[in-house]
Amino acid sequence: MAPHNDIILFHYPFSPYAKRVIWYLTLRGLEYAQCIQPAALPREDLNALGVKYRRIPILSIGRDIYCDTRLILQKLEEQFPSGTLGALEPDKKAVEKLLEKWTIDGVFPRAAQVIPPEMPLLNDPKWVKDREDYMGRSWAKEDIIKGRPEAHVHLREAFELLETTLLADGRHWVLETEKPSLADIEAIWPFCWLRGMEGALPPALFGKDNFPKVHAWLDRFSGALKAAKESAPKVTSLKGAEAVQYITQAEFNESNREVDALDPLALKSEQDVESWPIDSGFNHRDRGQLVALTRQEIVLKSQTKVGHKDVHIHHPRSNFRIRAVSGGGELKL
């Protein structure tokens, strides 16, 4: 049974992006259910919901399905306003957003290049093929080995930036808050992921002697998460069919149907469109009728394959593309 707030998180346990959302939910103490997905495609549960977007995690609230952690965290801040983790002051909000962009667009692509070549998954042809479809580049073991030194150069620069700027004055948290904030989550997630992966970061380059403040921050964050887990609601685990049934029987979470009349793309409400990410996972596109289009968000109406119920699929505007298609799915010329 899904929790009273209708949150269901679709993820697999070792996804670094899923950790961003799980940590947020844990630190907030928000009740949620999870539906564990395969690490590689296909993901039949999401297919049953009419979702083509291939990245993990995905979060549903009722029949609204939210894609991309940038949008998911924003929605959790908006939909559950009591006890949010986000900054209130404009200058601190700016730091928060800049850290989001820095880690997602800058740090993580380099972090993914230092996965230890001896990892068993790199010997699995299905996994390698799936990662190549996801990232649009080679995941052959020899190419990973070749690219690791350059990636370590860029990651050492990222560690240095944290050590000598944001954490230089000895503060416990990025925005000098009493506990971890959203800014900490935005900044810390790829570094936590790297430190937890044996063989990813050579100690001679990235050890505690090199970056003591960064490691102390990582340790504090782990401690804060451990403490939050002890008091957080128990996570309910749903099988795929249970999650799909719950969503198809739920109500919509949002009623926004605003289509920005000044948007440069000049799309119209109920127009047939397709939307997809352009940074990774770009071979998989959601299609449907346009429900809402704002400066921050794209909302499409799709239909589940089980029960044939309408669902609303939400994408962020950042690093996503939307364009008109004909009702049959062909591009309008």
Side-chain angles (χ1 to χ4, degrees):
M1 190 66 182
H4 72 279
N5 59 23
D6 284 347
I7 297 174
I8 302 175
L9 181 66
F10 296 83
H11 73 102
Y12 56 86
F14 60 90
S15 163
Y17 280 96
K19 296 293 186 189
R20 285 164 47 82
V21 180
I22 292 169
W23 293 343
Y24 179 91
L25 292 166
T26 301
L27 291 170
R28 287 280 311 270
L30 289 175
E31 187 181 3
Y32 70 99
Q34 65 179 1
C35 183
I36 300 300
Q37 297 299 297
L41 296 181
R43 299 189 180 111
E44 298 300 341
D45 305 331
L46 298 173
N47 187 48
L49 289 171
V51 177
K52 299 298 184 184
Y53 175 86
R54 65 143 298 158
R55 303 195 303 203
I56 289 291
I58 287 174
L59 184 138
S60 66
I61 306 177
R63 275 195 280 155
D64 285 274
I65 299 171
Y66 302 99
C67 304
D68 193 287
T69 59
R70 287 167 284 207
L71 182 63
I72 290 170
L73 293 176
Q74 174 191 325
K75 289 294 181 177
L76 289 171
E77 287 274 296
E78 294 171 354
Q79 299 291 324
F80 303 93
S82 178
T84 56
L85 300 181
L88 299 177
E89 300 87 348
D91 57 336
K92 293 181 178 179
K93 279 181 172 289
V95 172
E96 198 175 82
K97 294 301 291 184
L98 289 169
L99 287 170
E100 172 197 279
K101 186 167 183 61
W102 179 58
T103 54
I104 290 177
D105 296 338
V107 178
F108 185 74
R110 293 299 187 176
Q113 292 178 311
V114 301
I115 290 176
E118 60 271 16
M119 278 186 67
L121 281 172
L122 291 178
N123 294 318
D124 180 350
K126 180 182 177 182
W127 169 259
V128 171
K129 183 178 179 181
D130 181 82
R131 292 297 90 182
E132 289 177 339
D133 172 75
Y134 171 62
M135 299 291 288
R137 64 172 175 82
S138 171
W139 271 66
K141 190 178 293 189
E142 59 270 21
D143 291 325
I144 288 177
I145 293 171
K146 182 179 178 181
R148 290 184 92 224
E150 182 178 296
H152 280 138
V153 169
H154 290 276
L155 290 173
R156 190 158 64 154
E157 182 183 32
F159 270 77
E160 184 75 22
L161 177 65
L162 291 173
E163 185 77 17
T164 60
T165 60
L166 281 179
L167 304 174
D169 60 4
R171 66 183 62 193
H172 279 198
W173 307 114
V174 168
L175 296 181
E176 298 187 276
T177 47
E178 293 183 2
K179 59 183 182 179
S181 71
L182 180 56
D184 290 283
I185 294 174
E186 298 290 12
I188 209 167
W189 65 279
F191 301 95
C192 281
W193 181 64
L194 285 166
R195 196 171 72 155
M197 193 181 346
E198 186 176 356
L201 299 175
L205 296 177
F206 297 95
K208 291 187 177 183
D209 290 341
N210 305 85
F211 303 108
K213 292 183 174 67
V214 174
H215 283 278
W217 176 53
L218 293 169
D219 290 339
R220 279 193 300 275
F221 189 79
S222 296
L225 276 177
K226 183 178 179 181
K229 285 178 185 177
E230 293 175 356
S231 59
K234 183 178 179 181
V235 179
T236 302
S237 291
L238 300 177
K239 294 182 179 179
E242 293 174 320
V244 171
Q245 181 181 25
Y246 187 89
I247 291 168
T248 56
Q249 293 177 353
E251 299 296 327
F252 285 108
N253 177 56
E254 294 191 50
S255 58
N256 177 31
R257 291 180 173 272
E258 174 194 356
V259 174
D260 183 0
L262 297 179
D263 190 274
L265 298 181
L267 297 170
K268 305 298 182 183
S269 177
E270 299 186 0
Q271 189 170 1
D272 292 317
V273 296
E274 64 178 0
S275 175
W276 71 99
I278 57 175
D279 48 356
S280 64
F282 34 70
N283 293 323
H284 304 264
R285 304 180 180 189
D286 285 306
R287 292 190 175 190
Q289 287 187 338
L290 184 63
V291 173
L293 186 68
T294 68
R295 281 179 267 185
Q296 293 81 32
E297 184 179 15
I298 300 160
V299 186
L300 315 179
K301 181 174 73 174
S302 185
Q303 196 170 78
T304 65
K305 294 186 176 180
V306 175
H308 303 289
K309 293 290 189 72
D310 289 345
V311 292
H312 289 171
I313 300 174
H314 299 246
H315 293 167
R317 295 301 296 266
S318 179
N319 284 342
F320 274 69
R321 183 168 293 150
I322 180 173
R323 63 183 176 184
V325 296
S326 68
E330 296 300 323
L331 288 178
K332 287 183 175 178
L333 300 177

